[in-house]
Amino acid sequence: MTSPDRAAQIATALASVRERLSAACAAAGRDPDDVALLPVTKYFPAADVEILFELGCRDFGESREQEASRKVDELGASIGTEPVRWHMIGHLQRNKAKSVARWASSIHSVDSERLVTALQKAVGHAFEVGERSSELEVLIQVSLDGDTHRGGVEREDLAALAELVEGSDGLRLAGLMAVPPLGADPDAAFADLAEIHEGLLSRHPDATELSAGMTGDLEAAVRHGSTCVRVGTAILGSRPIASPVQSTDHISHN
Ligand SMILES: *Cc1c(COP(=O)(O)O)cnc(C)c1O
């Protein structure tokens, strides 16, 4: 059940985020078509996803596997006939790879060889049983400060991980993702990320995606080449509980 108030609220917020994003692109001298807006629907109900769908959104980001998987099933009947792309953007444990392979088009948070191996197997299985027909797009999450507790691979391990993804059947190396370290200056963090991305592109020219920027720092991310901003709060409001990106999500809920 969709309340008209909620629909109006989301419509207004989405319009203002779209404006904010196009202003950021204009300021950075970038084509707005080159920066996708990925609404992050974690902690919000399937009804909110339906509202966003009505407003033209076709891509959605989720960060907790079980919640996402339930939501995808719940929405199957209502928006199942239209192509919708679900992005897994949160930390993923290997034992959830099989489920993610069933519903995700893309995963932004790949950060270990063991996870790549699990995903390759899971996607292979999903192909076999007819649960998916397209490759899983993989973005490698990079840790910009080396504190891998918040997710992400250390920069010195990126090249090897990228090779592994590239060589994995069913996976397509699409690009990189990062979250600025706590308390860091987003401009400095995203400039650093852009440089790491350039290094990756020299070996993997098709890995053009750069998933960077959230509610608080999307302008800085756009200045430094983001191709996808992941925005939750500015579209759907504050989440029910404090949920800093990544860490608490997987520590307290998986
Ligand atoms: C929750 C989340 C977001 C959205 O963050 P907001 O600040 O609410 O826009 C973006 N990226 C990741 C990885 C997240 O977990």
Side-chain angles (χ1 to χ4, degrees):
M1 268 318 220
T2 291
S3 98
D5 286 355
R6 181 63 175 154
Q9 191 180 45
I10 293 176
T12 305
L14 179 66
S16 86
V17 170
R18 282 176 172 157
E19 264 171 42
R20 209 180 133 189
L21 184 57
S22 48
C25 290
R30 298 190 55 202
D31 182 342
D33 289 346
D34 293 343
V35 190
L37 172 61
L38 178 64
V40 175
T41 50
K42 68 177 181 211
Y43 292 90
F44 288 97
D48 285 357
V49 178
E50 287 186 70
I51 292 171
L52 288 166
F53 181 84
E54 291 301 323
L55 294 166
C57 300
R58 293 294 179 272
D59 288 74
F60 303 100
E62 287 282 335
S63 68
R64 303 184 300 163
E65 196 289 318
Q66 278 168 326
E67 175 192 342
S69 162
R70 270 200 307 274
K71 219 176 281 182
V72 171
D73 286 343
E74 197 180 331
L75 285 163
S78 49
I79 62 177
T81 54
E82 288 255 6
V84 162
R85 295 167 41 92
W86 293 94
H87 300 244
M88 175 60 180
I89 63 172
H91 177 81
L92 181 65
Q93 290 177 339
R94 276 177 301 153
N95 61 4
K96 307 271 179 65
K98 200 169 167 186
S99 174
V100 160
R102 196 173 59 79
W103 58 263
S105 306
S106 164
I107 170 165
H108 295 218
S109 45
V110 169
D111 61 1
S112 75
E113 299 198 351
R114 296 192 308 171
L115 180 57
V116 172
T117 307
L119 286 169
Q120 176 181 14
K121 212 170 127 196
V123 167
H125 174 78
F127 278 140
E128 255 170 53
V129 300
E131 281 175 345
R132 73 179 297 131
S133 55
S134 60
E135 288 183 308
L136 178 65
E137 293 198 359
V138 168
L139 284 76
I140 297 177
Q141 182 179 354
V142 186
S143 168
L144 296 173
D145 62 357
D147 176 7
T148 51
H149 284 102
R150 297 184 71 228
V153 66
E154 295 207 47
R155 67 187 74 206
E156 46 278 22
D157 298 329
L158 173 61
L161 194 56
E163 287 302 325
L164 184 67
V165 173
E166 188 106 301
S168 298
D169 286 338
L171 308 185
R172 187 179 88 73
L173 180 64
L176 294 183
M177 185 272 251
V179 177
L182 288 173
D185 166 31
D187 262 298
F190 291 132
D192 188 18
L193 176 63
E195 206 174 302
I196 297 172
H197 190 211
E198 255 176 57
L200 181 78
L201 281 169
S202 66
R203 293 165 136 252
H204 305 277
D206 295 333
T208 52
E209 296 292 331
L210 190 58
S211 170
M214 308 181 287
T215 291
D217 55 17
L218 71 87
E219 285 82 4
V222 167
R223 277 195 287 281
H224 296 285
S226 172
T227 63
C228 174
V229 294
R230 311 175 309 271
V231 179
T233 310
I235 297 174
L236 293 172
S238 307
R239 288 180 284 274
I241 61 169
S243 59
V245 174
Q246 303 287 343
S247 48
T248 35
D249 283 2
H250 81 266
I251 290 165
S252 54
H253 299 280
N254 276 356

